[in-house]
Amino acid sequence: MKWSLVFFFNSILLGVGLAMDAFSVSLANGLHEPDMKTRRMCKIAGVFSFFQALMPIVGWICVHSIVQWFHAFEKFIPWIALALLLFIGGHMLMEGLKYENDENEKNEQMHVGFAVLMVQGVATSIDALSVGFTIAEYGLLMALVCSLIIAAVTFVICMAGLIIGKKFGTKLSDKASILGGVILIIIGLEIFITGVWG
């Protein structure tokens, strides 16, 4: 592959495709935390962008070095994503049901913590490891540029998800955590079903 408009266009499309899970989780996070500040939104979108950029590079490295081990690991990707998103989504769902009637306790629980955010970042980007195979023909510089484009696209899409989630989260604040948890569980099931039977 040579540097061309096609390369940049393909990288943008790849970014859009990969960012859909992160968009949905951002939507859930916005629903879960409707009073989120802009700085925090940038931090959350940045975490998703980081992992979406990291995973294709890790996949590219696997193709160029430890490909036989990656093939053995690849079949576990849908299972890992399912487990992580079921755990986080189930936690949010239970939290929403538990604190539905206790406004003070619910407001304390609305903050998506750092550990949860890291798990979300990994869970929504783990399928991007496979992108390393699709960009295997790229040199290292092109693979890095492609990953940075994916990160930029993910950042913009996640910010949109957070903004939309916040808007509806304010209107649905009493059910937002429950809805966010259900969304995460559905995403986990979708990744699993697509990965195993897709």
Side-chain angles (χ1 to χ4, degrees), residues 101-123:
N101 298 320
D102 190 339
E103 201 62 37
N104 291 333
E105 219 170 339
K106 188 179 83 173
N107 288 336
E108 289 172 18
Q109 296 294 323
M110 279 303 195
H111 190 74
V112 176
F114 179 76
V116 170
L117 185 57
M118 290 296 112
V119 173
Q120 288 178 347
V122 171

Side-chain angles (χ1 to χ4, degrees), residues 49-174:
S49 299
F50 170 77
F51 282 108
Q52 289 288 15
L54 177 68
M55 293 300 184
I57 289 297
V58 170
W60 185 90
I61 291 167
C62 287
V63 169
H64 290 274
S65 59
I66 52 172
V67 69
Q68 68 277 11
W69 292 337
F70 182 73
H71 277 304
F73 171 76
E74 192 175 20
K75 63 184 172 197
F76 296 108
I77 288 174
W79 292 92
I80 293 168
L82 176 68
L84 292 173
L85 288 173
L86 283 181
F87 175 75
I88 299 165
H91 179 70
M92 280 176 70
L93 183 61
M94 295 306 292
E95 196 175 88
L97 292 171
K98 183 177 179 183
Y99 299 114
E100 196 172 12
N101 298 320
D102 190 339
E103 201 62 37
N104 291 333
E105 219 170 339
K106 188 179 83 173
N107 288 336
E108 289 172 18
Q109 296 294 323
M110 279 303 195
H111 190 74
V112 176
F114 179 76
V116 170
L117 185 57
M118 290 296 112
V119 173
Q120 288 178 347
V122 171
T124 57
S125 65
I126 199 163
D127 58 335
L129 274 170
S130 302
V131 172
F133 285 114
T134 65
I135 63 171
E137 65 188 50
Y138 296 175
L140 179 59
L141 181 60
M142 283 186 90
L144 285 170
V145 170
C146 178
S147 293
L148 289 174
I149 291 169
I150 290 169
V153 170
T154 300
F155 185 87
V156 171
I157 288 173
C158 287
M159 285 297 284
L162 287 163
I163 291 165
I164 294 167
K166 273 181 57 173
K167 187 175 180 78
F168 288 102
T170 306
K171 293 177 181 173
L172 306 167
S173 59
D174 57 334

